[in-house]
Amino acid sequence: MLDLTKFTTEQRNQRSMDLDTMTSLQIVTTMNDEDFRAVQSVTKVLPQVATAIDWAAETLERGGRVFYMGAGTSGRLGVLDASECPPTFGVSPDLIVGLIAGGETAFIKAVEGAEDSEELGANDLRERGLSDKDLVVGLAASGRTPYVVGGLVHAKATGCKTIAIACNQGSKIGESADLAIEPVPGPEVLTGSTRLKAGTVQKLILNMISTGAMVKIGKV
């Protein structure tokens, strides 16, 4: 059995141990304090995010595509960022592509088991004609999602540059990628609910990558 207590994203947060007895104001104050810690964690990985921006811009300039792929909240955040690029920057929806384990249905309703298949991650990229001109960005809060690992391994075998965004250091997806971006926002206010700080951190980084890349290629 996998020991989840080894992952900071899954540990108990000592500052919210009495969450169920807090007043509403205490809850939001605690969450706000923790969100500040999340923002601070991104500060420590800005050099890696800057490299990701450069890689994304280079990919787009040579006619390649940027793929985001993830499961659950991570997948939804990738799809969200990708879907906002056409209206924000006036680019084709084919340039920044968001993939979520289980397909579009999973954006609204969880598809059980989809994230546990490495082969599914590879197949989703194969079906979209992945080439060595493309860039693949894998997203997983814990950093161990098989769907993402499979996609990154396939992408590297194809000759793509690969990036991993996780919220634990020394993550499995980080080990599978050319560039690991691993901020550590720490345990969640609600234990294991990585839609919270981990989700915030991933969204902040995706905002930076897509905006920075579009600035670099003259789309703003």
Side-chain angles (χ1 to χ4, degrees):
M1 291 291 290
L2 184 66
D3 183 6
L4 293 178
T5 62
K6 294 180 180 179
F7 299 93
T8 59
T9 50
E10 314 302 323
Q11 292 172 4
R12 295 292 300 274
N13 189 322
Q14 296 301 311
R15 290 176 288 274
S16 61
M17 293 293 282
D18 55 349
L19 187 67
D20 59 332
T21 63
M22 290 182 182
T23 66
S24 295
L25 181 57
Q26 288 172 326
I27 290 172
V28 297
T29 299
T30 299
M31 293 185 72
N32 185 239
D33 288 343
E34 291 300 305
D35 287 340
F36 181 67
R37 294 174 191 274
V39 173
Q40 287 180 311
S41 75
V42 177
T43 303
K44 297 178 181 179
V45 297
L46 291 180
Q48 291 92 334
V49 179
T51 297
I53 288 172
D54 291 339
W55 288 10
E58 290 164 5
T59 295
L60 297 173
E61 286 178 333
R62 66 171 179 263
R65 299 163 293 174
V66 175
F67 287 89
Y68 296 143
M69 63 186 311
T73 296
S74 298
R76 293 182 187 96
L77 290 170
V79 172
L80 177 63
D81 195 75
S83 67
E84 290 177 339
C85 286
T88 303
F89 304 110
V91 297
S92 167
D94 297 325
L95 286 188
I96 313 292
V97 182
L99 302 177
I100 181 170
E104 292 182 3
T105 300
F107 190 85
I108 299 172
K109 185 177 181 180
V111 176
E112 296 299 326
E115 68 181 67
D116 298 325
S117 171
E118 291 190 16
E119 187 60 24
L120 181 59
N123 283 340
D124 279 357
L125 291 172
R126 285 194 195 97
E127 290 177 358
R128 287 158 180 82
L130 187 75
S131 79
D132 59 7
K133 294 193 303 181
D134 299 323
L135 170 68
V136 175
V137 181
L139 299 142
S142 67
R144 58 188 170 85
T145 306
Y147 173 82
V148 179
V149 172
L152 290 171
V153 170
H154 173 71
K156 287 189 76 172
T158 304
C160 300
K161 281 187 175 178
T162 54
I163 299 171
I165 302 174
C167 295
N168 288 306
Q169 290 185 343
S171 68
K172 187 169 183 178
I173 67 168
E175 293 172 354
S176 302
D178 298 310
L179 173 66
I181 303 174
E182 297 176 328
V184 182
E188 300 288 1
V189 170
L190 187 64
T191 304
S193 184
T194 51
R195 69 185 181 88
L196 300 176
K197 288 192 298 181
T200 296
V201 162
Q202 291 174 91
K203 179 62 171 129
L204 290 173
I205 292 172
L206 290 174
N207 285 348
M208 292 174 183
I209 293 174
S210 57
T211 302
M214 292 299 165
V215 170
K216 289 279 188 179
I217 66 172
K219 292 297 183 180
V220 295

